[in-house]
Amino acid sequence: MHVVNVAVIGIVALAVAAPAIAQETRVDRRQERQEQRIDQGVKSGALTSRETRKLERGQTHVENLETKAQADGKVTAREKARLEHAQDVQSKRIYKQKHDKQTR
């Protein structure tokens, strides 16, 4: 009987934690892709050093928002929307800077 209780508790804990883990993974994957886009822009010469610094600061801002949202262990719908909006803005900035005809 004790083994069954432990198994049920484990399953419930997994069901509760799974959405938070999935969201965290999705946000982290997007952050990683955006970092790769910045790195590619540096390698190709499409980003100047100033543009790179500004984009890196933007990435840090998004990471700080993510950390703050996850601080209490639950990312609310409002926090998720704010985080996704910040990532959208950052993605547009990366695109704009990579395609603005400025080179190193």
Side-chain angles (χ1 to χ4, degrees), residues 31 34-35 38 51-65 83 86-87 89-91 93-94:
Q31 283 294 100
Q34 289 183 344
E35 287 287 341
I38 293 170
E51 290 170 337
T52 303
R53 282 192 309 273
K54 289 175 85 173
L55 292 173
E56 289 294 342
R57 273 196 306 266
Q59 287 297 105
T60 300
H61 173 71
V62 173
E63 289 167 12
N64 290 340
L65 286 176
L83 187 56
Q87 287 181 316
V89 168
Q90 184 65 10
S91 180
R93 286 179 179 157
I94 294 168

Side-chain angles (χ1 to χ4, degrees), residues 1-43:
M1 187 68 168
H2 180 59
V3 174
V4 173
N5 287 342
V6 171
V8 169
I9 291 171
I11 291 170
V12 170
L14 243 171
V16 170
I21 292 169
Q23 174 61 28
E24 186 176 1
T25 303
R26 180 175 176 233
V27 169
D28 291 338
R29 279 194 314 253
R30 187 168 180 192
Q31 283 294 100
E32 181 61 32
R33 283 193 310 270
Q34 289 183 344
E35 287 287 341
Q36 289 171 355
R37 290 171 57 204
I38 293 170
D39 292 343
Q40 186 277 330
V42 170
K43 288 177 186 171

Side-chain angles (χ1 to χ4, degrees), residues 71-101:
D72 62 356
K74 172 136 176 57
V75 178
T76 66
R78 176 179 255 173
E79 290 170 329
K80 180 183 173 196
R82 183 173 184 208
L83 187 56
E84 288 184 6
H85 175 73
Q87 287 181 316
D88 291 343
V89 168
Q90 184 65 10
S91 180
K92 289 174 187 173
R93 286 179 179 157
I94 294 168
Y95 179 87
K96 181 180 174 185
Q97 293 302 324
K98 283 180 70 175
H99 295 87
D100 65 359
K101 305 294 184 198

